[in-house]
């Protein structure tokens, strides 16, 4: 066995090493309503039920303070058990009811305020758009239809960004509800309540992800016709070349 020391060529070793590259990714954590629910109305309902649950928790604190006299006279252990059963009946009755129109309306305003706070922050100017901050805390656009006798949202539509997942779900939901309407139809429909920045570009981008529309808008494959055989293009007497269809 050779006992002399081996010599290595460092340049050859470096050239044969596996090339590695490091990349830095800026990952932003999604909000709680972006990952689980892909429908705008589902997010509104979740916000409404959450607000009702929080209000019931506050009610439980107040109910404990003004506990009924019959329960307050019981011993501590029995009092806690009686109050728990009383509170479970109250919770059951409240969560058995559907969300009212007012609760849905308030939840939608809160969700829109969350979208504006996430994207816009303290920004209140958008080029030449006349922006007004109303009493509900939302940013509205003062449209040219201010003097028209119509709804408040029609005269002052809510400003929404073009790069938010909930805005994409809002557009897709309206697209599916109204039988997969096109860009111009959706732009006019959503403009009655919302003012989405870069409206046409945003709607076009969202509609490209609709699998149903992509399926029916797909063009058939165009096959290049092949050249006829030599016997069909050669001049000759009648019935010189014949063919049979099987």
């Amino acid at each position: 066995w050779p006992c002399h020391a081996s010599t290595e060529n460092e340049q050859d070793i470096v050239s044969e090493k596996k090339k590695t590259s490091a990349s830095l990714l800026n990952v932003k954590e999604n909000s709680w309503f972006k990952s689980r629910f892909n429908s705008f109305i589902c997010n509104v309902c979740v916000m409404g039920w959450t607000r009702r649950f929080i209000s019931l928790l506050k009610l439980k604190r107040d109910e404990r303070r003004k506990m009924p006299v019959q329960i307050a006279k019981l011993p501590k252990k029995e009092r806690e058990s009686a109050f728990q059963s009383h509170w479970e009946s109250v919770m059951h009755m409240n969560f058995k009811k559907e969300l009212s129109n007012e609760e849905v309306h308030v939840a939608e305003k809160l969700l829109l305020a969350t979208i504006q706070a996430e994207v816009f922050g303290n920004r209140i100017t958008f080029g030449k758009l006349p922006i007004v901050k109303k009493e509900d805390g939302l940013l509205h656009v003062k449209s040219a239809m201010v003097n028209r006798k119509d709804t408040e949202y029609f005269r002052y539509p809510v400003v929404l960004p073009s790069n938010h997942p909930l805005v994409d779900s809002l557009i897709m939901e309206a697209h599916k509800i109204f039988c997969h309407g096109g860009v111009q139809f959706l732009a006019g429909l959503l403009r009655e309540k919302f003012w989405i920045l870069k409206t046409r570009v945003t709607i076009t981008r969202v509609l490209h992800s609709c699998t149903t529309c992509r399926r029916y808008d797909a063009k058939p494959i165009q096959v290049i016709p092949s050249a006829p055989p030599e016997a069909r293009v050669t001049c000759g007497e009648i019935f010189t070349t014949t063919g049979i269809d099987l």
Side-chain angles (χ1 to χ4, degrees), residues 182-217:
V183 177
Q184 188 65 32
F185 173 78
L186 286 178
L189 178 70
L190 295 172
R191 188 61 64 84
E192 296 180 1
K193 191 173 182 180
F194 307 106
W195 189 291
I196 302 174
L197 302 179
K198 302 178 183 178
T199 306
R200 295 187 63 87
V201 177
T202 306
I203 295 177
T204 303
R205 174 178 56 80
V206 174
L207 295 193
H208 276 309
S209 61
C210 181
T211 55
T212 304
C213 294
R214 292 292 296 274
R215 174 187 173 191
Y216 285 100
D217 292 343

Side-chain angles (χ1 to χ4, degrees), residues 171-185:
I171 296 172
M172 182 59 71
E173 189 170 334
H175 174 65
K176 292 180 179 179
I177 290 176
F178 291 93
C179 303
H180 296 268
V183 177
Q184 188 65 32
F185 173 78

Side-chain angles (χ1 to χ4, degrees), residues 105-133:
H105 189 60
V106 173
E108 184 181 12
K109 283 185 177 181
L110 185 58
L111 201 60
L112 295 176
T114 305
I115 296 174
Q116 290 185 352
E118 280 191 355
V119 181
F120 300 148
N122 297 326
R123 180 183 175 189
I124 57 174
T125 57
F126 300 90
K128 296 182 179 179
L129 281 178
I131 302 298
V132 179
K133 191 168 185 178

Side-chain angles (χ1 to χ4, degrees), residues 122-169:
N122 297 326
R123 180 183 175 189
I124 57 174
T125 57
F126 300 90
K128 296 182 179 179
L129 281 178
I131 302 298
V132 179
K133 191 168 185 178
K134 305 285 284 185
E135 294 81 5
D136 54 5
L138 299 175
L139 298 177
H140 297 256
V141 176
K142 185 179 179 182
S143 65
M145 302 294 180
V146 176
N147 296 325
R148 176 184 170 89
K149 293 182 179 179
D150 214 307
T151 61
E152 186 73 14
Y153 282 114
F154 187 85
R155 296 185 293 117
Y156 293 92
V158 181
V159 183
L160 291 178
S162 60
N163 55 350
H164 198 278
L166 281 180
V167 178
D168 296 348
S169 65

